[in-house]
Amino acid sequence: GRPEAGSVASGGPDAGQATVGRPEAGSVASGGPDAGQAASGGPEAGVVTVAGLLSGVEGPGRDADGALDLDLLVVLDAPQLDVETGALLVESLSDGARLVLAGDPGVLWSVGPGRVFADLLAVRACPHVASRRPDPGPLGELVSGVGVGELLQVEAPGKEVVIVPVRDAGEAVHRTVQLVADSVPRAIGVPPEQTVVITPGHGGAAGTRVLNAALKERLNPGPGRFGGFDPGDRVAYSPAPGRTLPGRVVGADAEGLHLSCAGDALVVPKERVEQSVRHGWALTAHQAAGAHWPAVVAVLPGDAAQALSRPWVYTAFGRAERHLSVVHGVEQALPRAVAEVPAKPRTTRLPLLLAAQVPAGG
């Protein structure tokens, strides 16, 4: 099975959620809706986003000394925690407060600098608990294999996993639109609004820009009268660097572009639309990290071969709950990436700083 939690500390600006509260002795604070969503159980406990907690918009607020007014903070999706956000979280806790970071160490690291979760795991400066859950079915078998460097051929009698070979980027775009609009709804019963497309980058002949344009033309055609967007468009809204909220366009007026993200009404001012809102039928793996959809179409055009790595494949394939289609144009680059290409190294001094604080022999 895939790792479910590694007890160090984890938090995610991209899909980050924090469970806060003052639990009774022996109880466990946990939980959290999908990426970008937040739920609150009042001032004593609740599930909020990391960004909302740090800004004071969500959560229990601050005490008289300026620290977060809580005794326990559980941060989910820890690999998405960059060094700046991690520092802010630690600095915001009062003496004696407990911090639990939880996440899957196999997924892509944060968009921002650092690799906080990986560094903490490597140094073992904090108590470390590995928790695993069985991965049912062909999807679980496939993703678990990727996690240990093996691209397995799995039996998928219910079409849980489908490979769609393509010759070039143009065919990849055509087949992707066909899968989302027709094949997956008909064969799997998952409608287009519950399917996400994941591709390695924004640019290129089959990047998110090209795929989103083709999917919009098929699924929600319109003139783009609101800064390139129309009511009903799926979008990816980035309120801050490294954080993505999937949503839908509701409309626009003098205030700006009105979105619905996980049931919350948001308004993006006109001057921020171009830099913070993209169409969201197709995402990169970094944008999708921390979230799950009933169906995923992973698009691997020929020009994406150099961008593939084991963490990328693990993250992209692992977003699917019921069905995964792989639009496959990279030939042997896919199994080679899974077997041989680990996460790209990052320069970080955090392990040295942490190691210096670990007592000798422990």
Side-chain angles (χ1 to χ4, degrees), residues 57 91 221 237:
V57 175
E91 291 167 357
Y237 170 48

Side-chain angles (χ1 to χ4, degrees), residues 79 105-116 118-119 200-201 286 303-313 315 337 340-348:
V107 300
L108 286 167
W109 294 335
S110 63
V111 174
R115 50 174 200 179
V116 175
D119 286 346
H286 267 116
D303 61 2
Q306 297 303 313
L308 297 181
S309 66
R310 185 186 306 161
W312 191 96
V313 178
T315 302
E340 303 174 10
V341 186
K344 293 181 180 179
R346 286 185 176 182
T347 301
T348 168

Side-chain angles (χ1 to χ4, degrees), residues 93-258:
L93 295 175
S94 61
D95 290 344
R98 290 180 171 87
L99 174 63
V100 177
L101 307 176
D104 186 338
V107 300
L108 286 167
W109 294 335
S110 63
V111 174
R115 50 174 200 179
V116 175
F117 191 65
D119 286 346
L120 285 165
L121 288 173
V123 174
R124 303 186 75 87
C126 307
H128 172 199
V129 177
S131 172
R132 300 176 70 87
R133 59 187 171 89
D135 291 307
L139 264 172
E141 184 182 354
L142 175 66
V143 175
S144 294
V146 171
V148 296
E150 298 179 7
L151 189 63
L152 304 175
Q153 291 187 354
V154 297
E155 297 292 332
K159 297 184 178 179
E160 294 89 349
V161 180
V162 173
I163 308 300
V164 182
V166 293
R167 294 182 297 273
D168 53 41
E171 186 181 4
V173 174
H174 173 75
R175 293 304 299 272
T176 299
V177 174
Q178 185 180 55
L179 284 163
V180 174
D182 294 325
S183 303
V184 172
R186 183 176 65 252
I188 311 300
V190 178
E193 58 269 20
Q194 294 181 14
T195 300
V196 72
V197 174
I198 301 178
T199 194
H202 294 300
T208 63
R209 296 187 187 96
V210 171
L211 285 166
N212 275 316
L215 288 161
K216 174 175 171 55
E217 183 179 353
R218 177 64 181 273
L219 298 171
N220 195 48
R225 59 186 180 278
F226 302 140
F229 300 96
D230 294 296
D233 278 358
R234 280 175 67 172
V235 295
Y237 170 48
S238 298
R243 183 168 177 239
T244 300
L245 302 179
R248 189 171 298 276
V249 175
V250 176
D253 55 24
E255 290 186 77
L257 192 66
H258 290 251

Side-chain angles (χ1 to χ4, degrees), residues 38-57:
S40 176
E44 292 300 308
V47 182
V48 301
T49 64
V50 169
L53 178 68
L54 291 174
S55 68
V57 175

